[in-house]
Amino acid sequence: REYAKARETKNRRPDFKEQSLTVINRVLGNVRVKEFTRTHAYEFISKRSKEVAPATVNRGLAVLKNMMTFALDRDFIDSHPLIRFALLPEPQKALRVMTLEEERHLVECVVKEDLVVGAYVAILGETALRKSEGLRLQWPHINTKQKLLAVEWPTKSGKVRYVPLT
């Protein structure tokens, strides 16, 4: 419980950790952190893989690895049993990008239903902004003379990004 609620762990969603730990406990039984070994991780993979896709198994493994790091940092364990433990390969889906015609058709259909949402869809399609970035847009972010959109809020890189507009 202390691990799931700790703020300094990378994943800041305690509900996700608690849910994952419930599944891990169901699959492996009650294994004490000090007794956890790589064999337990392989057992988790074997049993959990029969229920869900590799990506979901990997999320559980990521929680286990993070929990072991937490336990090591807190001196609950002397060594990290999952150091350099490989995750399952996940099949990569080919990303299909809409053609310009498909995008325009989508915008046309949405505009017929809701003008504001249609404009939002058009801006996302034009700029490739994330949904959350599009929702933060305001008129001062748009420079019509230079045909630029300024993404000023925190980006992944932490820098302002300028997106050309057509």
Side-chain angles (χ1 to χ4, degrees):
R1 294 217 184 269
E2 183 181 346
Y3 161 71
K5 293 183 173 148
R7 290 194 162 277
E8 63 272 8
T9 57
K10 185 176 181 181
N11 181 345
R12 298 191 189 282
R13 287 195 45 211
D15 59 320
F16 174 77
K17 289 181 208 160
E18 285 183 15
Q19 180 185 6
S20 295
L21 290 171
T22 301
V23 171
I24 291 165
N25 191 277
R26 178 182 55 81
V27 172
L28 295 178
N30 232 351
V31 179
R32 296 177 59 82
V33 172
K34 289 185 178 192
E35 298 166 359
F36 191 89
T37 65
R38 293 172 84 83
T39 303
H40 290 106
Y42 286 117
E43 180 183 349
F44 176 76
I45 290 172
S46 173
K47 290 179 178 178
R48 190 72 170 131
S49 293
K50 293 175 185 171
E51 303 172 341
V52 294
T56 306
V57 175
N58 284 343
R59 299 305 72 81
L61 286 172
V63 168
L64 274 171
K65 289 173 82 170
N66 187 262
M67 182 177 68
M68 292 301 157
T69 300
F70 177 84
L72 185 65
D73 290 345
R74 296 285 177 101
D75 291 328
F76 297 150
I77 57 176
D78 296 325
S79 63
H80 195 309
L82 297 180
I83 199 82
R84 292 192 299 272
F85 191 88
L87 299 178
L88 297 176
E90 296 180 24
Q92 298 294 318
K93 287 185 179 179
L95 178 64
R96 185 178 110 50
V97 179
M98 281 191 265
T99 65
L100 184 58
E101 292 77 27
E102 289 172 326
E103 183 186 333
R104 287 182 177 161
H105 181 68
L106 173 65
V107 171
E108 286 174 19
C109 291
V110 175
V111 163
K112 288 178 187 174
E113 296 296 319
D114 188 314
L115 188 60
V116 174
V117 176
Y120 174 69
V121 169
I123 289 170
L124 293 184
E126 170 83 14
T127 61
L129 291 177
R130 294 173 184 87
K131 292 182 286 186
S132 60
E133 293 173 331
L135 290 171
R136 293 181 183 166
L137 281 178
Q138 295 179 2
W139 282 113
H141 298 126
I142 301 171
N143 184 330
T144 54
K145 290 181 182 175
Q146 292 182 326
K147 293 187 176 183
L148 284 177
L149 172 78
V151 182
E152 297 176 348
W153 43 91
T155 60
K156 285 186 175 183
S157 67
K159 299 176 182 175
V160 175
R161 187 169 96 230
Y162 294 97
V163 181
L165 299 172
T166 58

